[in-house]
Amino acid sequence: MPKPDLNGLKDVLRTALKQGAPGATARIDDHGSVAWAAVGVADRKSGRAISNADRFRIGSVTKTFSAVVLMQLADEGRLRLDSSVDRYLPGLLPDRTITVRQLLGHRSGLYDYTNDMFASAIPGFEAVRSKVFTYRQLVDRSLRHKRTNAPGAAYAYSNTNFVVAGMLIEKLTGHSVKTEYQNRIIEPLKLRDTLYVHPDKKIPGRHADGYLTPDKAGAPLVDATDQTVSWAQSAGAVISSTRDLNTFLSALLGGRLMSPAQLKQMERMVPVNSSQSYGLGLRSRHLSCGVSVYGHTGAVQGYYTYAFATKDGRRSMTALANVSNNGRVLNTMLGTLESAFCGKKAKDVRPTAAPDERQEAGTPRLARD
């Protein structure tokens, strides 16, 4: 593989600042060596410089954590991917043919309730930032709408799928998703910055504040750091750091979190468009140099995350910008993958985030700026 282009990486982060991000960071772990870059501030009030030591909200990268727990339960014989969700959660969904595999691959057809919840960025956020929802309340919001497609017929990104995944985890284990994340992933991998604090609103310890861009051009950024993220939970409420996410992805893709058979299932990709595919709670991006990387993107109010690694897990990169609802920054940060995995060949490449990445755990109009 080409060596990472650290100068190019820093240029990407600096561009994100020019486009409205208060701060941006990236860390590369490569066969035991570490490289990083950080520009801008973690807190606009104090002016403290952002750092790769800062914790942040990882948004939809949480989905990979939830998928790992369910794949482990499949390894334990407590779950079958091709069984109906109704087998484990009787009566929850109107269509009893929806399978666990279809949930994890966004092929269930369940409507994404966040489309309505965040039709307007600031009013939508302020309406839910302090609320505590049950999983059932979130699913019921989805079921008020027609399904987007028949089960298995098409890929359609929906946070509802991973809310149901959280319900499956809690039903099959008898424990909260917090406990299962802790016992199955966080403690075994010694992830010291990875937390699930729902429904608490604060990010404990050193962290980057997150800023939400209003829909109205020129309006000031809104500090979105404190929130329950109860509207997302098992679809988007985990807190972590660049170090921990790299450790997590390296362990996952290196085969340390599940059997080879289950990892193969997770990595079975269905094309989304010419530049990306989706497996089971795992996204792949196809880069300009011919390399495909695996991981997930995250968009939650105040934060954009790209967390990806090579298929063997030996090179991993996580990048963060502490802003959201800014499509220019989202597209720019995608360039960190080119610099980290394609090296200097990336200098003439201008990748663009796909629509479903813009609507992950956040507002469906993330590209509007």
Side-chain angles (χ1 to χ4, degrees):
M1 287 186 61
K3 292 182 179 179
D5 178 9
L6 297 182
N7 289 328
L9 185 67
K10 292 175 183 176
D11 287 343
V12 171
L13 302 184
R14 293 189 188 105
T15 299
L17 258 63
K18 293 176 182 177
Q19 294 171 336
T25 67
R27 170 176 167 138
I28 301 171
D29 285 80
D30 186 13
H31 296 73
S33 66
V34 177
W36 59 271
V39 299
V41 300
D43 177 356
R44 297 178 74 215
K45 290 183 179 179
S46 70
R48 179 179 69 81
I50 198 168
S51 164
N52 276 279
D54 288 328
R55 294 170 176 168
F56 53 91
R57 300 193 186 280
I58 69 173
S60 286
V61 185
T62 300
K63 291 178 172 66
T64 308
F65 282 73
S66 297
V68 166
V69 173
L70 287 175
M71 301 305 280
Q72 290 181 352
L73 291 171
D75 264 331
E76 295 163 14
R78 299 159 76 177
L79 174 75
R80 292 177 62 88
L81 293 174
D82 292 312
S83 288
S84 168
V85 173
D86 191 70
R87 173 178 177 180
Y88 308 105
L89 297 169
L92 176 67
L93 304 178
D95 192 325
R96 295 183 178 181
T97 68
I98 295 173
T99 66
V100 177
R101 185 188 300 275
Q102 289 164 353
L103 284 182
L104 297 183
H106 292 294
R107 299 179 68 82
S108 70
L110 293 173
Y111 179 84
D112 189 344
Y113 60 88
T114 66
N115 290 337
D116 295 338
M117 189 177 281
F118 302 124
S120 297
I122 304 302
F125 172 60
E126 295 295 354
V128 301
R129 73 182 299 170
S130 298
K131 282 191 175 181
V132 178
F133 295 95
T134 65
Y135 284 128
R136 186 58 187 257
Q137 286 173 327
L138 297 175
V139 173
D140 286 347
R141 282 174 172 252
S142 169
L143 297 182
R144 294 171 193 167
H145 297 267
K146 293 181 179 179
R147 280 166 287 157
T148 55
N149 52 260
Y155 169 91
Y157 193 93
S158 174
N159 287 288
T160 309
N161 291 316
F162 279 81
V163 168
V164 178
M167 297 178 78
L168 282 170
I169 290 170
E170 297 196 348
K171 178 66 178 293
L172 293 170
T173 66
H175 301 141
S176 66
V177 293
K178 176 179 180 177
T179 297
E180 293 303 309
Y181 293 156
Q182 191 73 30
N183 292 344
R184 294 173 176 273
I185 301 172
I186 296 171
E187 289 183 1
L189 298 182
K190 297 180 172 61
L191 304 181
R192 62 186 181 219
D193 296 315
T194 303
L195 310 162
Y196 186 82
V197 301
H198 173 267
D200 290 349
K201 294 170 65 176
K202 300 286 186 180
I203 302 177
R206 176 172 175 157
H207 63 273
D209 285 357
Y211 298 92
L212 176 60
T213 308
D215 290 330
K216 184 179 179 180
L221 297 177
V222 173
D223 189 331
T225 311
D226 292 347
Q227 59 167 306
T228 62
V229 203
S230 192
W231 61 267
Q233 299 187 50
S234 51
V238 167
I239 294 163
S240 194
S241 65
T242 56
R243 170 195 172 273
D244 276 10
L245 289 183
N246 284 356
T247 300
F248 168 60
L249 287 176
S250 293
L252 168 60
L253 295 166
R256 293 163 49 200
L257 290 176
M258 63 190 67
S259 69
Q262 295 303 337
L263 182 58
K264 185 176 180 180
Q265 294 289 320
M266 198 171 182
E267 294 176 336
R268 184 183 294 173
M269 295 287 162
V270 175
V272 174
N273 55 36
S274 61
S275 64
Q276 65 171 318
S277 303
Y278 204 93
L280 301 182
L282 193 67
R283 191 184 292 282
S284 68
R285 296 281 326 191
H286 317 307
L287 305 180
S288 65
C289 55
V291 171
S292 290
V293 291
Y294 299 78
H296 218 288
T297 40
V300 63
Q301 291 96 343
Y303 305 92
Y304 283 144
T305 303
Y306 284 90
F308 285 84
T310 51
K311 193 170 185 180
D312 61 6
R314 300 185 71 182
R315 183 184 297 182
S316 54
M317 191 234 40
T318 296
L320 162 75
N322 60 341
V323 74
S324 69
N325 202 38
N326 183 322
R328 295 175 67 200
V329 171
L330 180 65
N331 288 340
T332 290
M333 291 298 289
L334 180 54
T336 58
L337 299 181
E338 292 285 339
S339 293
F341 297 103
C342 289
K344 294 185 178 180
K345 290 183 180 181
K347 63 183 179 180
D348 295 325
V349 176
R350 295 184 179 180
T352 301
D356 66 304
E357 290 176 310
R358 300 182 189 125
Q359 72 170 65
E360 284 187 345
T363 64
R365 292 172 174 82
L366 286 168
R368 186 171 62 194
D369 54 340

